[in-house]
């Protein structure tokens, strides 16, 4: 059996998910190929995975004919559904929602896109994230809907041992990490504001930001640099762009072992790969309650929440997680175990097989 997954550009959590899908589903006899409309930095992570990068109708049609796919999962791109039908694809189309930005952005996307989804798709899937489930019920109530939890590569995303801290954090200073894009939903201004206050409490604090420098909303990069200068953070800030995904466990290990943490400031997350991968590497997390991360974070057990935009509360949560060593150890242990128990590739593959069976694309075994 063969599946094609499509998305706009290989970057961020979707690129991660598509790579993991390839391995998880191949293990149960399902071949997965990926189609991206535009090139992106995430291609560096996909050397061993069949993928195509084209926005040309003739080339897409060639991919469809050569692949003879049983189904296509179209991620976040409702217009692609109509396009694929127009190019002659008659197999099953499954619309997939992953994130879609803030709740307001997700509402706008599905309010408009539901016409295309209901006209051209056979089913819709998303993560079991409350705002996405509510929007699916509102706009896609007459379409088969499925909710599938994403997976984490718990073989690769593990604590890398003392060597990682020794290699990447020569100063031994505590590190606050952030992973995302310079866009409104990731809320980088809140991150910088929190770090500014934490730096006044912990003078040796270092700040590591991981981003994709090829993707940002217009004007955000200029505002970012201006805010860094205004807060006098440049001397303690390191920004890394497009780090190979396979290197991230070492960086996350170094952050966790420094006595620091990952700080997630997103307004809304559909899943939140950065948070889950940090937890899997024993890097503790403090986060806004951005919906999707609720499946990872149980407050004061596997991580800490703070109220969005409440800087004093965030500073208090981060300080406690850094200073209260028994709590820190407990949270690191519980977070690591939680990810390994609930987000395995085998569980994801079983859920996808159940969807294929329900859509009569695969016989029940």
């Amino acid at each position: 059996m063969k599946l094609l997954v499509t998305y706009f550009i290989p970057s961020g959590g979707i690129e991660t998910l598509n790579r993991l899908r390839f391995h998880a589903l191949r293990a149960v006899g399902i071949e997965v190929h990926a189609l991206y409309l535009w090139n992106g930095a995430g291609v560096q992570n996909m050397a061993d995975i069949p993928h195509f990068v084209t926005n040309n109708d003739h080339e897409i049609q060639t991919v469809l004919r050569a692949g003879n796919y049983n189904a296509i999962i179209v991620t976040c791109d409702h217009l692609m559904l109509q396009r694929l039908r127009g190019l002659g694809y008659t197999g099953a189309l499954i619309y997939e929602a992953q994130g879609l930005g803030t709740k307001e952005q997700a509402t706008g996307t599905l309010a408009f896109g539901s016409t295309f989804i209901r006209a051209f798709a056979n089913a819709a899937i998303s993560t079991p994230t409350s705002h996405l489930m509510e929007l699916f019920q509102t706009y896609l109530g007459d379409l088969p809907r499925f909710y599938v939890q994403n997976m984490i590569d718990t073989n690769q995303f593990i604590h890398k041992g003392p060597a990682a801290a020794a290699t990447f954090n020569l100063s031994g200073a505590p590190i606050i990490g952030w992973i995302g894009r310079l866009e409104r939903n990731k809320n980088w201004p809140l991150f910088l504001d929190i770090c500014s206050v934490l730096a006044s409490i912990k003078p040796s604090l270092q700040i590591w930001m991981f981003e994709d420098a090829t993707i940002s909303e217009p004007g955000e990069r200029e505002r970012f640099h201006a805010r860094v200068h205004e807060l006098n953070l440049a001397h303690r800030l390191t920004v890394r762009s497009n780090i190979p995904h396979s290197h991230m466990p070492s960086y996350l290990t170094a952050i966790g072992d420094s006595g620091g943490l990952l700080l997630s400031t997103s307004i809304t997350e559909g899943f939140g790969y950065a948070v889950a991968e940090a937890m899997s590497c024993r890097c503790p997390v403090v986060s806004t309650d951005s919906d999707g991360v609720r499946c990872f974070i149980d407050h004061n057990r596997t991580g800490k929440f703070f109220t969005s935009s409440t800087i004093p509360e965030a500073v208090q949560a981060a300080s406690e997680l850094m200073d209260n060593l028994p709590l820190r150890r407990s949270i690191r242990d519980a977070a690591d175990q939680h990810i390994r128990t609930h987000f395995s590739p085998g569980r994801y593959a079983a859920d996808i097989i159940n969807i294929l069976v329900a859509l009569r694309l695969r016989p029940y075994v």
Side-chain angles (χ1 to χ4, degrees):
M1 186 170 193
K2 295 176 70 175
L3 299 180
L4 179 68
V5 293
T6 77
Y7 190 56
F8 303 104
I9 185 170
S11 181
I14 306 301
E15 184 270 320
T16 298
L17 173 61
N18 285 342
R19 279 187 292 105
L20 296 183
R21 280 198 251 242
F22 171 78
H23 296 291
L25 295 178
R26 182 175 62 175
V28 294
I30 301 173
E31 185 176 352
V32 180
H33 297 176
L35 168 65
Y36 297 100
L37 299 183
W38 300 289
N39 205 356
V43 167
Q44 68 180 331
N45 301 316
M46 303 182 65
D48 61 339
I49 296 175
H51 65 279
F52 312 93
V53 180
T54 179
N55 196 21
N56 177 278
D57 279 350
H58 175 71
E59 293 177 356
I60 293 174
Q61 198 168 48
T62 299
V63 169
L64 297 176
R65 289 173 177 168
N68 192 28
Y69 300 105
N70 300 94
I72 301 177
I73 298 175
V74 177
T75 305
C76 299
D77 186 1
H78 48 268
L79 297 178
M80 188 63 163
L81 298 166
Q82 182 181 34
R83 185 177 186 182
L84 291 171
R85 292 298 188 209
L87 293 175
Y89 182 74
T90 58
L93 289 179
I94 302 171
Y95 174 80
E96 177 182 59
Q98 290 281 345
L100 300 179
T102 66
K103 293 179 183 178
E104 293 76 15
Q105 290 170 328
T107 300
T109 295
L110 286 175
F112 176 77
S114 59
T115 300
F116 296 89
I117 298 168
R118 291 164 60 238
F120 300 108
N122 300 88
I125 62 177
S126 84
T127 53
T129 306
S130 60
H131 75 279
L132 293 177
M133 295 173 72
E134 181 180 341
L135 290 172
F136 267 35
Q137 179 61 40
T138 299
Y139 293 107
L140 304 175
D142 56 347
L143 194 70
R145 305 176 307 285
F146 304 93
Y147 302 102
V148 179
Q149 193 60 273
N150 290 341
M151 73 200 104
I152 307 299
D153 185 354
T154 53
N155 291 320
Q156 179 178 354
F157 277 82
I158 59 174
H159 185 272
K160 293 297 184 178
T167 301
F168 293 103
N169 184 25
L170 298 178
S171 71
I175 302 163
I176 302 296
W178 183 90
I179 302 173
R181 293 179 294 277
L182 296 185
E183 62 180 25
R184 185 172 74 90
N185 186 50
K186 298 299 182 181
N187 208 354
W188 59 263
L190 176 61
F191 172 75
L192 293 180
D193 288 345
I194 295 168
C195 286
S196 178
V197 179
L198 283 171
S200 69
I201 301 170
K202 299 181 178 295
S204 65
L205 187 75
Q206 295 296 301
I207 304 168
W208 289 3
M209 298 183 72
F210 300 85
E211 61 132 359
D212 184 343
T214 66
I215 301 176
S216 60
E217 292 179 351
E220 289 294 278
R221 196 161 300 278
E222 293 76 13
R223 287 191 286 272
F224 170 76
H225 290 300
R227 189 61 177 156
V228 168
H229 177 74
E230 181 182 354
L231 294 173
N232 191 30
L233 294 176
H235 66 288
R236 62 177 81 246
L237 172 64
T238 301
V239 179
R240 296 179 172 90
S241 176
N242 298 319
I243 295 294
H245 198 243
S246 60
H247 294 184
M248 285 304 298
S250 294
Y251 284 105
L252 291 167
T253 296
I255 294 170
D257 284 5
S258 76
L261 53 92
L262 183 80
L263 180 58
S264 177
T265 52
S266 296
I267 297 171
T268 308
E269 287 285 357
F271 184 67
Y273 260 106
V275 169
E277 289 173 346
M279 294 167 64
S280 189
C281 294
R282 299 182 60 79
C283 175
V285 176
V286 173
S287 177
T288 50
D289 185 357
S290 54
D291 199 0
V293 299
R294 292 175 190 165
C295 60
F296 315 129
I297 297 177
D298 180 5
H299 184 62
N300 276 340
R301 190 181 73 83
T302 62
K304 276 183 170 289
F305 281 128
F306 69 95
T307 304
S308 178
S309 300
T310 307
I311 295 174
E313 185 181 337
V315 171
Q316 180 181 2
S319 296
E320 183 181 9
L321 190 51
M322 296 171 76
D323 297 337
N324 185 334
L325 297 186
L327 176 64
R328 180 181 181 85
R329 283 193 296 270
S330 173
I331 283 178
R332 292 177 82 184
D333 290 344
D336 181 23
Q337 185 59 48
H338 179 74
I339 296 299
R340 293 178 196 290
T341 301
H342 297 286
F343 300 93
S344 71
R347 177 173 175 170
Y348 178 87
D351 287 344
I352 293 297
I353 287 174
N354 287 338
I355 291 173
L356 297 175
V357 169
L359 295 177
R360 301 182 184 279
L361 299 174
R362 180 181 172 120
Y364 179 78
V365 178

